[in-house]
Amino acid sequence: MTHISVIGCGYLGAVHAAAMASVGHTVIGVDTDTQKLQKLENYQPPFFEPGLAELLEAGQAEQSAGNEGADGTSQRLLFTSDISRAAEASVHFICVGTPQSQDSNAADMTYVNSAINDLMPHLKPGDLVVGKSTVPVGSAAELAKKVAPTGAKLAWNPEFLREGHAVEDTLRPDRIIYGVESGSEDDPAVAILDQVYAHNLRGGEAGAAGEVGVAGEAGAVTPRIVMDYQTAELVKTAANSFLATKISFINAMAELCETAGGDVAVLADAIGMDKRIGRRFLNAGLGFGGGCLPKDIRAFIARADELGVEQAVSFLREVDSINLRRRARMVDLTREALGGDLSGKRIAVLGIAFKPNTDDVRDSPALDVAERLEQAGAQVVITDPEAIENARRRDPELTYAPDLTEALTGADGVVLLTEWPQYKNLDPVAAGELVAQKIIVDGRNVVDRRAYREAGWTVRGLGRQE
Ligand SMILES: NC(=O)c1ccc[n+]([C@@H]2O[C@H](COP(=O)([O-])OP(=O)(O)OC[C@H]3O[C@@H](n4cnc5c(N)ncnc54)[C@H](O)[C@@H]3O)[C@@H](O)[C@H]2O)c1
């Protein structure tokens, strides 16, 4: 078993730390945010993520030696603000944020650089620093040079978890990427990472327990691919760019349907049946948001520009624009549905998180639309099962309702902005008794339009006819 430190315990790091402890490693999680730490030190999730509470609780399990907390007992999983505790570990995961810079599209590398600076005095020869944060191509090679004088090595191991499925994705990822200095299988970092991920790499029927599997090998539970730093960094950015492009592609088709006539949902079903295309990520609607996709495609454009190959990814500018245009269209569609004027209209906003099963509102399309509706003169009343607190912190001026009944009561219109199951499956008959006007604008194209119409509602959706 490996002694691991995890630097940065947000949506990525807290789940990674708890997951690593759950498979038997000894883990010390380090963060600088005292509020977050207060929760983590008590083994409580600092944010909503299904399954994280159970994993953290399991991490409280005592072990016989190592990882002593302030009370002198030894736990499998500990959280602290004291970076010097990382000296006890030999593998150090960097999981800090790389948000969009304040004044440009580029990734802000301040947190990664300061995390490495803070860690450096505690590194020993033979240690491995493992980057998980999403960084611009070229960063890992620079950081490897920086840590070299300590005798430690560096690997880049990008993370692909989806918020809302983070525990499952961390414990059972589709693939594991090792970006290592030599780019080859015999790099010493590979054996260290194989020990960390032994639970994923153990062969199934074809391999004896304890054997590691490599990509494509029969019996390997999770494929792992060894590559150079640059390819590893690009795998993450390319994957996010591809997903963003697929979403914006269908949203561009929605724009066409709105003008030319046509139904984007039927179109998506039809093209999605082509196995080369596939139906996933083809749901037309309000588009993508969150702490990853938008800032990652912008950072990719900025990095390509620095490298002099801006043209190679200039299509991503359009992907971003299509995505942002959907938010304006959602406001226009709501105005149209309410007879051309939003002023003084009470609008129930269902969902404010950037997607269901998370409380994350970073770059949330729902929050953006709610703000635009309010600016257009409407009185929005927002509800969400998990994200109200975070949304209120970002925008305290808006009105929030703790439950659906309060949000729907007396509404002149309903807008569905985040497809939480309880909103998708809302009973139109019961909801119809609460609202003042039975008008719903479905920003995610998820409600049963026929059931709503049968219950007397007017239903509008992005990319669909009335
Ligand atoms: N959230 C996701 O779904 C996801 C998925 C894959 C990759 N990523 C990438 O992972 C990285 C982290 O994302 P996140 O969503 O977890 O961000 P986050 O903001 O939730 O968490 C970052 C954490 O790092 C802490 N931190 C900052 N500087 C520190 C320092 N010097 N020492 C210790 N802690 C420090 C912050 O206090 C914060 O808790 C980003 O690069 C992101 O692009 C995120």
Side-chain angles (χ1 to χ4, degrees), residues 154-170:
L154 182 123
W156 216 262
N157 170 224
E159 178 57 54
F160 302 91
L161 68 83
R162 298 160 299 163
E163 285 172 30
H165 303 269
V167 170
E168 178 64 20
D169 288 350
T170 303

Side-chain angles (χ1 to χ4, degrees), residues 6-14 30-33 36 47 83 94-99 110-112 114-116 118 132-135 158-163 236 240 291-292 295-296 354 360 362:
V6 175
I7 319 298
C9 295
Y11 287 94
L12 162 62
V30 183
D31 205 290
T32 46
D33 179 332
K36 206 168 275 180
F47 48 83
I83 186 81
I94 304 296
C95 298
V96 297
T98 48
T110 316
Y111 303 101
V112 172
S114 64
I116 299 266
D118 295 348
K132 273 209 160 289
S133 304
T134 304
V135 294
E159 178 57 54
F160 302 91
L161 68 83
R162 298 160 299 163
E163 285 172 30
K236 174 66 191 172
N240 274 359
C292 288
K295 61 104 176 155
D296 286 350
F354 88 92
D360 195 350
R362 289 178 289 182

Side-chain angles (χ1 to χ4, degrees), residues 34 43 83 110 120 137 158 171 189 207 251 282-283 370 409 418 464:
T34 45
Y43 298 93
I83 186 81
T110 316
M120 293 264 288
V137 59
L171 288 171
N251 283 334
L282 276 189
N283 292 326
T409 302
T418 313
R464 313 190 74 177

Side-chain angles (χ1 to χ4, degrees), residues 109 112-113 116 120 129-149 152-158 178-183 187 227-234 303 307:
M109 289 289 285
V112 172
N113 289 327
I116 299 266
M120 293 264 288
V129 178
V130 188
K132 273 209 160 289
S133 304
T134 304
V135 294
V137 59
S139 307
E142 287 303 313
L143 294 169
K145 279 190 227 151
K146 193 168 174 173
V147 301
K153 294 281 182 202
L154 182 123
W156 216 262
N157 170 224
Y178 297 174
V180 295
E181 194 164 22
S182 65
D187 193 290
M227 59 191 71
D228 55 33
Y229 290 146
Q230 291 81 354
T231 312
E233 293 163 323
L234 283 168
R303 184 67 184 132
L307 293 169

